[in-house]
């Protein structure tokens, strides 16, 4: 016993809703197609310019080599899995803090006291100036120094200074 005007209104609403859905679906398909066309054009350009501009090609290819993954869930101190990002960040911070120490407040123990004392010297090795220069030339300039050491680039840049200086560096 629905009045005909209400049925007509209901049919119009249904028709409009269907048209709206169809329009949004067509719009989504068109957006997808435009994105695919753009990606194909960029790929085509990268492949076409590989010989003339390899940097462009490799920067294009590199953007697809990155793997992105989410963190978590993580177990808290009680063994309960945590999914909340704030709680997971705190768990990671606690782990970091427990592993690394503050160098300014480090409680360093002398571990060298148990090592045997060495009284001999390296007198059987020739530490001449020419051998020192030869050794400096063999150093990779990009090698990293250990703590409190001189960077390899500095040593190589200064190798023409009196080489006997390096004979006494510890």
């Amino acid at each position: 016993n629905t009045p005909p005007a209400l049925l007509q209104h209901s049919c119009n609403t249904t028709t409009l809703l269907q048209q709206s859905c169809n329009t949004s679906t067509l719009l989504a398909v068109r957006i997808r197609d435009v994105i695919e066309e753009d990606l194909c054009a960029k790929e085509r350009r990268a492949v076409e310019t590989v010989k003339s501009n390899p940097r462009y090609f490799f920067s294009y290819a590199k953007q697809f080599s990155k793997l992105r993954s989410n963190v978590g869930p993580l177990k808290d101190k009680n063994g309960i899995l945590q999914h909340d990002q704030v709680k997971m960040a705190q768990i990671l911070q606690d782990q970091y803090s427990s592993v690394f120490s503050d160098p300014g407040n480090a409680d360093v123990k002398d571990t060298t006291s148990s090592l045997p004392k060495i009284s001999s010297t390296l007198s059987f090795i020739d530490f001449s100036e020419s051998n020192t220069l030869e050794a400096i030339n063999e150093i990779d300039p990009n090698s990293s120094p250990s703590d409190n050491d001189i960077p390899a680039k500095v040593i190589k840049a200064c190798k023409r200074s009196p080489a006997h200086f390096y004979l006494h560096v510890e």
Side-chain angles (χ1 to χ4, degrees):
N1 296 352
T2 308
L6 190 56
L7 282 176
Q8 181 64 30
H9 177 70
S10 176
C11 287
N12 287 343
T13 304
T14 303
T15 304
L16 285 173
L17 186 59
Q18 287 174 344
Q19 289 174 348
S20 176
C21 285
N22 290 341
T23 303
S24 66
T25 302
L26 290 173
L27 188 59
V29 168
R30 180 67 185 136
I31 290 171
R32 183 197 67 206
D33 291 346
V34 167
I35 291 171
E36 282 182 13
E37 288 171 13
D38 184 53
L39 289 173
C40 286
K42 287 180 181 177
E43 185 173 337
R44 229 180 285 106
R45 180 172 177 234
V47 170
E48 290 169 358
T49 62
V50 70
K51 287 186 179 180
S52 62
N53 188 1
R55 180 177 282 172
Y56 177 81
F57 173 79
F58 286 109
S59 67
Y60 172 80
K62 188 175 181 181
Q63 71 186 358
F64 297 105
S65 68
K66 296 176 184 150
L67 296 176
R68 292 176 178 89
S69 60
N70 294 329
V71 175
L74 299 175
K75 286 185 179 179
D76 63 10
K77 293 178 182 178
N78 300 322
I80 300 170
L81 284 178
Q82 297 294 334
H83 298 275
D84 181 53
Q85 291 182 356
V86 174
K87 290 180 181 177
M88 290 191 309
Q90 187 59 48
I91 293 169
L92 291 172
Q93 177 61 37
D94 292 344
Q95 171 62 23
Y96 179 84
S97 297
S98 72
V99 175
F100 294 100
S101 62
D102 179 13
N105 296 329
D107 182 23
V108 181
K109 297 176 185 170
D110 182 19
T111 58
T112 61
S113 60
S114 63
L115 295 175
K117 300 293 182 205
I118 300 174
S119 60
S120 62
T121 60
L122 295 176
S123 58
F124 60 91
I125 298 176
D126 180 25
F127 286 108
S128 68
E129 188 171 330
S130 62
N131 286 352
T132 305
L133 284 174
E134 186 179 321
I136 291 171
N137 286 331
E138 292 176 6
I139 297 174
D140 179 5
N142 297 316
S143 63
S144 63
S146 60
D147 294 342
N148 302 322
D149 278 348
I150 303 169
K153 286 184 179 182
V154 172
I155 293 174
K156 289 184 83 71
C158 300
K159 71 181 177 186
R160 290 290 164 214
S161 65
H164 61 84
F165 166 76
Y166 297 109
L167 296 174
H168 304 290
V169 173
E170 291 183 14

